Amino acid sequence: MPNDGDLRALSKQNTYQFGDFRLLPEAQALLHKGQPVALGGRGFDILTLLVTRAGEVVSKADLFAHVWPDYIVHDHNLKVNVGNLRRSLAELDPLTEYIATIAGRGYKFVAAVDNNRPTAVRHTPSIPSHYAAPPHVRELFGRDDAIRQISEKLDLPGYIAIVGPGGAGKTSLAVTIARHCCGAGEAIVFADLSTVSDPRFVVPAIASAFGISLGLDDPISGVIDVLRSSEVFLVIDNCEHVISMAATLVERISSEVPAARILATSREPLRTRHEQIHFLSGLAYPDDTALLSTSEALQFPAIQLFIAKSQEAGLAEPTDVYVRSVVSICRRLEGLALAIELAAGTASVLAPSALGDLFKDGFDSMNRGARDAPLRHQTLEATLDWSYRLLPESEAVLLSLVSVFSGRFSAEDAEALYAAGALDPMAGRDALAQLVAKSLVAAEYDGGIAHYRLAESTGAYAAQRLFGSRYREKARRQFAIRIRDKLQIAEREWSSQTSREWLRKYRRQIDDVRAAIGWAFDPAGDAGLGVGLVVAALPLWQELSAFREMLAAIDLAGENSAALQGLAPLCRAKLSTARAWAMTLARHMHPQTDDAWRESIFHAGESNDSEFQIRSVCGQAVFLAYSGRPRTALRSMNDFAAAKGLDWAVAPDGKRLLAHIKIYAGEFNSASAHLDALMKDWGHLEEGHGLSRFQVDLPVGIRLSQAFLLWLQGDADRASSLVDRAIVRAADLDHMISLGNAISLTGLPIAFVEGDLETASRLQQQLAEVGRRETVGIYEGTARFFAGAIQSARGEGAGFALMHDSIAGLLRGGWRARVPFYRSLLAEAYIAVGDMLSAEECLRAAAGEIGIREERWWHPDLWRVAGMIEAGNAQSQKAARYFRRSLDCARTMGAGAAIRRTRLAMAEMD
């Protein structure tokens, strides 16, 4: 903005004098007693129209047409901007009223105005004090590398364009670099184009910043003369809305003065020959996978900025909880400096304990920015509106269309929406490229494939624009169709890719699935399309172990009977099988789970799909095994195989399940033969087949089953090694069912029974976390039981009650598998403290379990514990008889570990 010296050089302009103010519209300048007054672009436009029509009532319609041409703007925007303008004038002249409100009509400029044209003056070389100075900027966080990189480029021919999204801190960075690089006697010229609303005013704005007379035929030649003859650093700020004219002028200046040091800021590149681009992204912040301490989080610039801004308002030393909330906010704002400052400003007036919930529903509650900030930086919405109103129609339409995506989307995803906004493919592809160039859409590359994404704040703004548009419903329908089609492709790939590969490609799709289903089952949606979405999404829910969500969606689909009638038999089979799984893998096994599996088998048979028939039969077998009926499960699987002429070797998932259930049934040798063959063909962890169609990753399942068997056979060391690898793989896949099975069925029992309480404690905590994430009852109950068992082993009496309660909870939930095993461990804990009566009650309860005759794998140890009780009661002959039965049973099974434990018990009795 020009100062008084600049204005003496201005010619051929209208000047309006009122009070001690002078208004120069062409120069976009307002002075008070010769000193520049900071006004935002909207405020200047309002003042100019009111002053040029002084004494008249200017209607709101005229003001909207002048200040916001071609945009629909709420009355509130006009009131706010007029209010800000009044305050700016009143701060300098509190005794005079300049703007009056005419109720129901508009506004009137009521002060006397003199209009004159200044006489022409010759251009004379300016001195540094006549240059437009840069604004004050705050301390920068995390920009040391950017300052260094840009400073190094300044000595190269050409100019540097700092390009990035609105609010990233481009202006602050440019000014900081200019001050950093300027020596004694050097001046910074700051040409602010943000207040220029017409490309014709770009030349006056740049020339005025230098104090160059606008009476010259070519004011830019005067700028070039100054740059050649003086030590001047030029910053041209906010080029994006007048980019063609700005690019032409900057390219001309840079071409004629190659040694000139010039920084331009823009939300998109200027695309000229001498341009060097520095893309400025948000400040670094912890990603969503990082588990950091408070001190580590405070090393990130985004967190530092938030805390610094909050502490300006008197925030005490931040607590760990407060910093975690700050990390979450900065992550959602993607490190955008302006947004972080606004959020911190809002947070600073609240109690620290309220921060966690402050922005959980969006960022509408953010305070306005500093009063001396440009209007486009007063609110997050204003920053985005500045960018949006500069977009051509095709880009504005596409930005609102792609707001339907919850996360990443591809070019093909965007193309699926073109028709909703009446965009032809060529215009749509060009619009997407331009939105990326203008920093409104982020482009990311994964494996050489481009993916696109809107920042959360940009997406929320664009969604508001879509909300009132005529093409909103078309966009949402096309979005739902696109998600369904992608999921159908994903299902076809599901059987040919590893779990890791498949999840890497489709994991992020879950948020879009939720949004599409939410629309489809809305009264204004399409329930038929919704049912198709649910069916297509079943593999994704199962891979993510999201069984509660899956069951809720299946039930929602089931409420739309008309839509279900049109489903193909295979789709009905998919729904019924997924429903049975969701009922099985719940906190409390659903009382209708048995019926659900029978229904699944019926629909699978109706579909004539052999794979789904296998899935249904094996799924039912898992349910039967969890219910403590492994031999019933084996009969079911064997009968099915006989009826279909099936060799389980062609169905490795089923063969692994068959082997595992045989372990429960005490058929160790047969299980071992199956698992050896599976290890040879499918057990390689790095080249795993992927998720078993029975909810467990196949390599993990093979490892955990073989480890379970090896432990029972007496090879605890090899068993521990195998299950460790299975746990690592399951955790790496982030597949909770695979991880929960590996820990609860093998890793944790082995560690505890073998006396490794440190490992057992670590695995127990890991299993408890899995249970919290998935609320699968068998994981929660097992984690609670071993928490009590570990306490008891360490001499803590509270462990007994916890073991009792966990067993009762498992039984209430229908989880009867392994309950005799847990009761025998509880009995041993009582034996250790000399309470033989309680131990005997535990063993009697174990013998009374419904499935005790079917679940035989722990029978040798039940006889051993009975012998230990009798030995504790000084009944040596009875004890010896039970020990012999234990050894006989163990030898028949090949249970080497049980033989070892029984012999140790016999030695202790002797």
Side-chain angles (χ1 to χ4, degrees):
M1 185 173 289
N3 57 30
D4 194 52
D6 299 326
L7 294 172
R8 287 197 298 270
L10 298 177
S11 64
K12 299 182 180 180
Q13 296 187 74
N14 282 323
T15 302
Y16 297 87
Q17 182 86 34
F18 46 96
D20 292 325
F21 293 93
R22 291 175 65 198
L23 175 68
L24 295 93
E26 289 91 337
Q28 296 277 294
L30 175 68
L31 289 90
H32 180 257
K33 296 182 179 179
Q35 298 300 314
V37 178
L39 286 183
R42 308 285 197 208
F44 190 91
D45 291 344
I46 292 169
L47 179 63
T48 300
L49 184 60
L50 292 175
V51 168
T52 56
R53 293 173 59 178
E56 300 178 28
V57 177
V58 181
S59 69
K60 293 181 181 179
D62 287 349
L63 284 163
F64 282 130
H66 180 72
V67 181
W68 290 280
D70 302 321
Y71 289 92
I72 299 175
V73 182
H74 195 277
D75 281 3
H76 176 71
N77 287 14
L78 179 59
K79 292 178 181 178
V80 168
N81 281 282
V82 170
N84 290 338
L85 176 59
R86 280 175 166 149
R87 281 193 293 273
S88 296
L89 298 175
E91 285 176 356
L92 297 169
D93 186 1
L95 300 179
T96 306
E97 181 182 8
Y98 289 99
I99 301 172
T101 300
I102 309 302
R105 297 176 61 193
Y107 299 90
K108 179 193 291 188
F109 194 88
V110 294
V113 176
D114 292 326
N115 177 215
N116 67 290
R117 296 176 63 84
T119 58
V121 297
R122 290 184 59 190
H123 166 66
T124 56
S126 300
I127 59 173
S129 61
H130 291 164
Y131 298 151
H136 170 75
V137 297
R138 294 179 178 274
E139 175 190 0
L140 297 185
F141 292 88
R143 297 303 191 193
D144 292 347
D145 286 344
I147 292 172
R148 177 183 53 77
Q149 293 169 13
I150 296 172
S151 298
E152 291 173 351
K153 293 178 181 178
L154 284 171
D155 293 330
L156 301 175
Y159 67 96
I160 299 172
I162 302 176
V163 176
K170 301 183 294 294
T171 301
S172 296
L173 179 62
V175 170
T176 299
I177 292 170
R179 288 177 172 151
H180 174 77
C181 295
C182 282
E186 291 184 281
I188 300 172
V189 177
F190 186 80
D192 183 5
L193 303 186
S194 66
T195 59
V196 175
S197 58
D198 191 305
R200 292 172 297 178
F201 295 139
V202 175
V203 169
I206 295 176
S208 297
F210 279 84
I212 302 297
S213 171
L214 300 183
L216 298 175
D217 292 336
D218 183 9
I220 295 302
S221 65
V223 170
I224 291 170
D225 288 342
V226 172
L227 288 170
R228 281 178 176 151
S229 61
S230 305
E231 293 290 332
V232 173
F233 193 116
L234 174 59
V235 177
I236 304 178
D237 196 36
N238 291 107
C239 298
E240 58 272 357
H241 60 301
V242 286
I243 197 161
S244 296
M245 179 61 75
T248 299
L249 296 179
V250 178
E251 178 67 12
R252 176 187 170 189
I253 295 169
S254 183
S255 299
E256 296 196 30
V257 193
R261 294 189 293 178
I262 304 173
L263 281 178
T265 72
S266 176
R267 299 188 186 186
E268 62 177 302
L270 276 63
R271 299 186 183 87
T272 72
R273 186 164 58 92
H274 290 87
E275 180 183 33
Q276 302 177 71
I277 301 174
H278 182 93
F279 288 103
L280 186 67
S281 58
L283 296 171
Y285 57 89
D287 63 38
D288 56 2
T289 61
L291 297 175
L292 302 177
S293 65
T294 297
S295 59
E296 289 171 328
L298 290 173
Q299 302 306 307
F300 285 84
I303 312 304
Q304 293 171 353
L305 174 60
F306 192 107
I307 298 297
K309 179 72 176 177
S310 299
Q311 288 181 330
E312 288 179 8
L315 174 73
E317 193 68 22
T319 64
D320 293 349
V321 173
Y322 189 87
V323 171
R324 283 197 296 272
S325 298
V326 170
V327 168
S328 176
I329 292 170
C330 291
R331 184 183 299 142
R332 291 177 59 196
L333 294 172
E334 302 198 9
L336 194 66
L338 171 66
I340 290 171
E341 288 200 19
L342 293 172
T346 301
S348 66
V349 301
L350 301 173
S353 59
L355 182 60
D357 294 330
L358 178 57
F359 301 116
K360 65 179 181 180
D361 296 321
F363 299 103
D364 292 341
S365 58
M366 279 189 186
N367 284 341
R368 299 180 64 83
R371 289 189 59 199
D372 59 351
L375 283 179
R376 66 183 186 282
H377 287 172
Q378 289 282 332
T379 66
L380 190 56
E381 183 179 7
T383 300
L384 293 164
D385 186 60
W386 169 267
S387 294
Y388 186 84
R389 66 189 182 90
L390 300 175
L391 297 176
E393 183 180 3
S394 61
E395 295 171 29
V397 168
L398 183 59
L399 182 65
S400 62
L401 288 176
V402 297
S403 70
V404 297
F405 294 107
S406 302
R408 297 199 315 179
F409 59 93
S410 66
E412 291 77 14
D413 292 333
E415 190 164 347
L417 302 181
Y418 291 167
L423 297 173
D424 65 73
M426 184 174 294
R429 287 190 287 269
D430 181 66
L432 181 59
Q434 291 301 315
L435 290 172
V436 172
K438 293 172 181 178
S439 305
L440 287 167
V441 173
E444 303 168 344
Y445 291 87
D446 184 1
I449 300 174
H451 295 277
Y452 303 91
R453 179 179 53 79
L454 297 182
E456 182 179 347
S457 53
T458 306
Y461 175 86
Q464 290 178 357
R465 290 289 179 173
L466 178 65
F467 184 80
S469 70
R470 64 184 183 280
Y471 44 81
R472 178 181 182 232
E473 288 307 311
K474 289 182 180 179
R476 297 175 78 188
R477 174 176 292 278
Q478 290 303 118
F479 164 69
I481 292 171
R482 173 61 180 170
I483 299 306
R484 181 201 61 192
D485 293 348
K486 284 182 72 175
L487 291 172
Q488 289 174 345
I489 294 170
E491 184 180 21
R492 291 195 290 272
E493 295 176 353
W494 194 36
S495 60
S496 61
Q497 294 181 352
T498 67
S499 182
R500 189 193 311 273
E501 292 170 332
W502 197 89
L503 276 175
R504 183 166 56 238
K505 188 173 182 180
Y506 292 108
R507 178 190 297 275
R508 291 187 177 93
Q509 208 68 56
I510 189 62
D511 289 331
D512 285 335
V513 169
R514 292 163 180 156
I517 288 176
W519 168 81
F521 288 111
D522 186 81
D526 182 339
L529 179 53
V531 171
L533 274 162
V534 172
V535 173
L538 295 174
L540 183 59
W541 279 313
Q542 292 177 67
E543 283 281 1
L544 295 174
S545 305
F547 293 103
R548 282 186 302 168
E549 181 178 340
M550 183 173 73
L551 183 58
I554 293 170
D555 288 343
L556 189 61
E559 294 169 5
N560 292 270
S561 56
L564 283 177
Q565 293 302 319
L567 275 184
L570 180 58
C571 291
R572 291 296 295 268
K574 291 177 180 178
L575 273 180
S576 60
T577 302
R579 182 170 178 267
W581 272 120
M583 287 182 170
T584 302
L585 298 172
R587 172 170 285 158
H588 300 288
M589 205 178 293
H590 200 286
Q592 295 178 351
T593 306
D594 213 344
D595 293 337
W597 279 116
R598 280 195 288 270
E599 181 184 347
S600 169
I601 291 171
F602 170 78
H603 285 300
E606 290 286 301
S607 74
N608 293 318
D609 185 286
S610 58
E611 181 184 352
F612 248 87
Q613 291 173 19
I614 294 173
R615 291 190 195 186
S616 297
V617 168
C618 291
Q620 184 191 49
V622 171
F623 160 68
L624 291 170
Y626 277 154
S627 305
R629 294 174 282 173
R631 298 188 72 79
T632 303
L634 287 180
R635 283 196 300 273
S636 172
M637 293 182 71
N638 290 331
D639 290 347
F640 172 79
K644 297 292 182 181
L646 173 67
D647 181 355
W648 286 110
V650 302
D653 300 311
K655 188 173 183 177
R656 199 284 305 180
L657 178 61
L658 188 70
H660 195 86
I661 295 175
K662 283 189 173 185
I663 299 173
Y664 283 153
E667 300 178 15
F668 291 1
N669 292 333
S670 178
S672 181
H674 286 318
L675 289 170
D676 288 344
L678 284 167
M679 280 293 293
K680 179 181 177 181
D681 295 334
W682 300 97
H684 196 279
L685 285 176
E686 286 69 34
E687 298 176 1
H689 172 67
L691 179 71
S692 164
R693 298 308 166 249
F694 320 122
Q695 313 311 323
V696 179
D697 174 75
L698 183 58
V700 171
I702 293 170
R703 287 293 193 288
L704 75 86
S705 293
Q706 189 166 56
F708 183 34
L709 180 59
L710 286 170
W711 172 55
L712 294 173
Q713 290 174 327
D715 193 346
D717 290 340
R718 188 178 169 204
S720 296
S721 176
L722 279 171
V723 76
D724 284 348
R725 294 176 67 189
I727 290 171
V728 168
R729 175 180 170 89
D732 189 41
L733 292 173
D734 196 32
H735 189 260
M736 292 298 99
I737 300 301
S738 296
L739 182 59
N741 279 12
I743 297 173
S744 66
L745 301 184
T746 308
L748 182 50
I750 292 175
F752 179 79
V753 173
E754 295 302 318
D756 185 356
L757 295 186
E758 183 178 348
T759 299
S761 181
R762 174 176 54 80
L763 291 175
Q764 185 276 330
Q765 293 172 22
Q766 195 173 3
L767 181 61
E769 178 59 29
V770 173
R772 280 190 291 271
R773 286 182 59 177
E774 296 302 321
T775 62
V776 176
I778 197 169
Y779 300 155
E780 293 180 333
T782 303
R784 280 173 54 82
F785 175 83
F786 279 104
I790 292 167
Q791 288 180 13
S792 176
R794 290 173 172 166
E796 300 174 23
F800 290 99
L802 194 53
M803 284 190 279
H804 274 290
D805 290 345
S806 64
I807 291 172
L810 286 167
L811 292 174
R812 282 196 304 272
W815 304 100
R816 295 188 172 275
R818 296 187 171 222
V819 167
F821 166 55
Y822 300 144
R823 289 197 188 279
S824 77
L825 294 183
L826 177 56
E828 286 194 70
Y830 278 123
I831 292 170
V833 296
D835 187 350
M836 298 304 163
L837 182 60
S838 296
E840 190 172 349
E841 289 176 355
C842 289
L843 200 61
R844 189 179 300 111
E849 285 294 330
I850 294 174
I852 191 65
R853 295 185 180 277
E854 293 202 28
E855 191 176 336
R856 300 179 178 181
W857 65 282
W858 198 249
H859 280 191
D861 284 275
L862 291 176
W863 290 118
R864 172 182 58 83
V865 174
M868 293 172 66
I869 293 171
E870 294 301 338
N873 289 329
Q875 299 292 323
S876 57
Q877 289 184 347
K878 284 186 177 181
R881 189 162 58 249
Y882 286 140
F883 286 146
R884 284 195 298 273
R885 294 193 67 173
S886 172
L887 291 173
D888 290 343
C889 185
R891 292 189 184 103
T892 301
M893 287 185 187
I899 292 173
R900 175 177 55 83
R901 286 190 290 269
T902 300
R903 285 175 175 169
L904 285 173
M906 293 172 70
E908 289 180 5
M909 184 182 70
D910 293 340

